[in-house]
Amino acid sequence: MRKRILAVLLVAALFFGLAACVGGSSAGSTSGEGDGPATVKVGVSIYKFDDNFMTLYRTELERYMEEDLSNDSIVYDVTVVDAKGDETEQASQVDQFIADGYDVLIVNLVNDEAAAPIIDKAKTAGIPVVFINRQPNVAGDMEIWPGYTTYVGADARQSGTYEGEIIVETDNQGDFNGDGVVSYIMIMGDEGNTDAEYRTEYSIKALTDAGLTVELLDEQRGHWQQTEGYEITAANLTKFGDKLEVVFCNNDAMALGAMEAIEAAGRVVGEDIYLVGVDALAEAVTAIEEGRMTGTVLNDHNGQSHKAADVAAELAAGGTVDTFYWVDYQKVSGD
Ligand code: GAL
């Protein structure tokens, strides 16, 4: 008899213990202990740690939530994991966050076209999701669970336009050899990525909108990586020589690689070639000051990470949010 009572008590204790654990998994709830601050568990999955811009972004996101947003009554406990560019890895990270009763998720998609399964699972578990930096790229995804799913990012069309305008604003408008044509190469980010698509399209649109004639010499994916930016530029400099007048890169990491290739080939930025990127990484801004890059566009990782954190906090507190939040880009050129 005594054994049976003990067993019942044990089961009851287990049940209430478990209930307390999963308490954090319903939308908007937080788990507190006694009189201390409530803890909000934030699960962040980054598409790849090996990415210069996203390293700045994730570092600031974690710092801002844990240091600036946390206070005496609420503490944000942020766990950031590396999806290593692997969609399956990211899916299991999300599953684990859900199983562990996280209060809100922040997801930097590996595959911009694979938001739906994540939203479906989160919705079932009642855990809101903030997508950052890589915009869900399938129509209708953001309507699956409105109010509880959102995208915080920057409008990549703007960054592309600014890149193009930087070239239009130069003295010779990108035409060093005076043949009336701007001959360029385009080094692009990942396939299917909105930033890559729009930056590629809108940078050139800014030139043609200004009445310039353009000639695409080569277009290749550098996957946001410096080494690939170097290799693509080096090959094109060898192939086209002085004919190549402008190197457009979808980001600064690739532009920094392009800069090394340009210098190794004995070409001089501003004198016989132009080079532009996006992000305004510290190394790129220094290169612009030194005249080794023509310009870049500030991709505001502070503004974006803070907005993402604020929105995540709002969701964890039980609120609903807008579907999109946009943070502006800013032009950065040597002029
Ligand atoms: C872009 C950024 C790139 C890279 C990419 C990852 O916004 O400009 O440098 O971080 O996001 O998706």
Side-chain angles (χ1 to χ4, degrees):
M1 185 64 181
R2 192 182 289 164
K3 250 190 194 162
R4 187 181 286 171
I5 291 172
L6 214 71
V8 169
L9 282 177
L10 211 77
V11 168
L14 252 175
F15 174 79
F16 287 116
L18 265 180
C21 281
V22 295
S25 71
S26 61
S29 70
T30 55
S31 36
E33 275 170 29
D35 290 337
T39 299
V40 173
K41 285 164 68 179
V42 184
V44 184
S45 171
I46 298 295
Y47 92 103
K48 195 194 263 182
F49 274 12
D50 178 22
D51 175 302
N52 303 21
F53 174 73
M54 284 315 298
T55 299
L56 295 172
Y57 191 126
R58 67 182 155 86
T59 308
E60 178 57 19
L61 176 68
E62 187 172 4
R63 189 210 62 77
Y64 177 75
M65 287 207 98
E66 294 192 340
E67 289 175 22
D68 293 0
L69 279 192
S70 297
N71 55 37
D72 291 346
S73 51
I74 200 153
V75 166
Y76 295 94
D77 181 3
V78 184
T79 306
V80 187
V81 292
D82 180 6
K84 301 187 185 109
D86 180 344
E87 193 181 331
T88 317
E89 171 85 21
Q90 183 160 62
S92 61
Q93 290 171 343
V94 167
D95 289 346
Q96 194 60 50
F97 283 142
I98 291 175
D100 291 346
Y102 275 66
D103 297 296
V104 61
L105 306 183
I106 299 180
V107 179
N108 177 212
L109 288 168
V110 170
N111 177 355
D112 312 44
E113 290 164 6
I118 292 177
I119 299 173
D120 288 339
K121 282 184 204 165
K123 185 178 179 187
T124 306
I127 306 173
V129 189
V130 178
F131 291 101
I132 56 167
N133 170 257
R134 292 163 79 98
Q135 186 179 344
N137 205 2
V138 175
D141 279 359
M142 297 307 289
E143 277 122 56
I144 296 172
W145 197 26
Y148 299 96
T149 43
T150 182
Y151 174 69
V152 177
D155 181 351
R157 285 171 290 201
Q158 192 184 36
S159 54
T161 302
Y162 285 163
E163 273 194 282
E165 284 178 2
I166 290 169
I167 300 305
V168 173
E169 285 156 13
T170 59
D171 291 343
N172 60 9
Q173 300 194 300
D175 183 15
F176 283 101
N177 55 23
D179 64 353
V181 179
V182 180
S183 304
Y184 71 96
I185 61 168
M186 181 66 69
I187 307 183
M188 303 177 295
D190 290 346
E191 197 167 0
N193 179 266
T194 309
D195 288 355
E197 283 170 7
Y198 278 155
R199 288 175 192 167
T200 298
E201 181 186 346
Y202 280 76
S203 53
I204 300 311
K205 186 173 181 303
L207 268 64
T208 52
D209 282 355
L212 305 181
T213 305
V214 298
E215 181 192 12
L216 172 66
L217 298 177
D218 189 28
E219 186 174 65
Q220 281 192 54
R221 293 202 181 277
H223 306 102
W224 307 119
Q225 299 290 318
Q226 184 159 344
T227 47
E228 294 188 50
Y230 175 87
E231 282 154 20
I232 295 167
T233 309
N236 277 294
L237 285 166
T238 303
K239 186 166 173 197
F240 295 106
D242 286 348
K243 192 168 166 46
L244 175 51
E245 297 171 304
V246 183
V247 179
F248 284 99
C249 298
N250 283 173
N251 79 344
D252 279 350
M254 297 187 294
L256 289 166
M259 183 177 86
E260 291 170 47
I262 287 169
E263 292 177 355
R267 300 286 298 271
V268 181
V269 167
E271 286 182 23
D272 58 31
I273 195 163
Y274 289 127
L275 170 64
V276 283
V278 175
D279 282 341
L281 297 180
E283 300 92 310
V285 173
T286 304
I288 293 166
E289 283 163 5
E290 294 169 351
R292 301 164 69 206
M293 253 179 85
T294 312
T296 184
V297 180
L298 172 70
N299 194 2
D300 184 0
H301 70 272
N302 287 319
Q304 289 176 64
S305 59
H306 295 183
K307 178 51 87 179
D310 291 343
V311 168
E314 179 68 31
L315 286 165
T320 53
V321 298
D322 292 346
T323 307
F324 294 102
Y325 292 90
W326 301 110
V327 175
D328 271 337
Y329 285 102
Q330 281 169 45
K331 212 186 281 182
V332 183
S333 69
D335 302 333

